[in-house]
Amino acid sequence: MLAAATAIINIIIALFVAFWGIYIFRAPPIFSRKRLTYKCELSTPLIHESAKSSSSLTVKYGKGFGKRSLKDPYITQIRLSNIGRKDVRSSDFDRSTPLQLDLGVKIVAVLKVTCSLDDMPDPKLSVTERRLNIGPSLISHHATLDFVLLVDGPCTALKPKNPLIGVDLKQEIIEEGKYGLNLKIVLGWLAAAFIIWWVIEDPDGAAHVIHNIGTFLSSFATGISRFFASL
């Protein structure tokens, strides 16, 4: 019974190592990836709820005859960050299509755009109803762009449309410095610490398992070769 359980565990470990090796081989190194994150940093109303119900206060935007009243004015701040180690260039935008962030509410105006890097050119920017269109423009690595917008309603979610080639785009969930290290990093270090501890505590057992993994992988490769040879 013990031998059968050990064999099953060895097979599971061997499969994990094999799939992990394939993933590492196929996936580009993390330092070579281009990665952007986005999030709604702020969404706050300009008028208190009590003032809305009494209609004692209104907000208007525009000039002359184009001035319009806003039913539910909000100030919303959208943050776009390049967390990769490479610049995102204009050529990365497929067919010069801009990166689109749908706020789900009417965008009235772009009030302010700031960049954490002084030497980076201002990005191309446009607004289409509910969408904030960014680029095609250079977004330098380690750059953070903040867009302060006047919108008509609360921004509860962002829906991106990513035309970027070879660039990962993800919503930023964990705020930097608020929750410490990323959970994946913590789990990775814990796994490495466990392996080191296991090798120190039971070197013979660790060597035996590694030997079994090598034997299994060798047998697996031989079996695959024979299978294809028999076709």
Side-chain angles (χ1 to χ4, degrees):
M1 186 69 179
L2 181 61
T6 303
I8 293 174
I9 293 174
N10 289 342
I11 291 174
I12 293 175
I13 294 175
L15 289 174
F16 173 79
V17 171
F19 282 116
W20 182 255
I22 293 173
Y23 171 77
I24 293 298
F25 177 77
R26 291 177 61 87
I30 191 169
F31 56 81
S32 69
R33 296 177 185 168
K34 297 182 179 182
R35 300 190 295 167
L36 296 177
T37 61
Y38 65 91
K39 69 173 179 176
C40 182
E41 183 75 11
L42 174 71
S43 185
T44 184
L46 285 180
I47 303 177
H48 193 270
E49 195 65 32
S50 59
K52 294 179 186 177
S53 59
S54 63
S55 300
S56 59
L57 181 64
T58 59
V59 173
K60 293 185 178 182
Y61 185 85
K63 296 181 179 180
F65 295 104
K67 187 178 294 186
R68 52 171 292 193
S69 297
L70 306 182
K71 296 180 180 179
D72 194 11
Y74 269 72
I75 293 294
T76 298
Q77 180 179 344
I78 306 300
R79 173 163 292 179
L80 181 68
S81 302
N82 185 344
I83 63 172
R85 298 195 178 185
K86 290 188 175 182
D87 296 342
V88 175
R89 301 186 176 277
S90 301
S91 56
D92 294 322
F93 291 78
D94 185 26
R95 300 180 182 180
S96 298
T97 304
L99 168 63
Q100 301 175 22
L101 297 177
D102 191 334
L103 280 67
V105 291
K106 170 70 175 180
I107 301 175
V108 179
V110 178
L111 302 180
K112 187 178 182 181
V113 179
T114 58
C115 180
S116 60
L117 302 179
D118 295 334
D119 57 346
M120 195 185 88
D122 293 336
K124 292 182 179 179
L125 204 63
S126 64
V127 170
T128 308
E129 291 293 329
R130 304 182 308 177
R131 295 195 304 269
L132 179 66
N133 307 311
I134 306 168
S137 300
L138 170 68
I139 305 175
S140 303
H141 71 287
H142 297 156
T144 297
L145 294 167
D146 286 310
F147 308 96
V148 180
L149 311 171
L150 175 62
V151 299
D152 200 358
C155 176
T156 57
L158 290 174
K159 295 181 180 179
K161 187 175 181 180
N162 182 16
L164 295 164
I165 302 172
V167 180
D168 294 334
L169 178 67
K170 294 183 178 180
Q171 185 172 8
E172 183 179 341
I173 302 298
I174 301 177
E175 294 185 6
E176 186 177 354
K178 185 175 181 180
Y179 299 103
L181 293 175
N182 185 282
L183 180 60
K184 291 182 180 180
I185 298 176
V186 173
L187 292 177
W189 280 110
L190 287 176
F194 172 76
I195 293 173
I196 295 174
W197 172 83
W198 180 42
V199 171
I200 294 175
E201 288 292 319
D202 188 11
D204 293 335
H208 179 68
V209 171
I210 293 174
H211 173 73
N212 287 343
I213 292 174
T215 302
F216 171 79
L217 292 177
S218 177
S219 301
F220 181 76
T222 302
I224 291 294
S225 299
R226 289 177 179 176
F227 171 75
F228 282 107
S230 64
L231 296 179

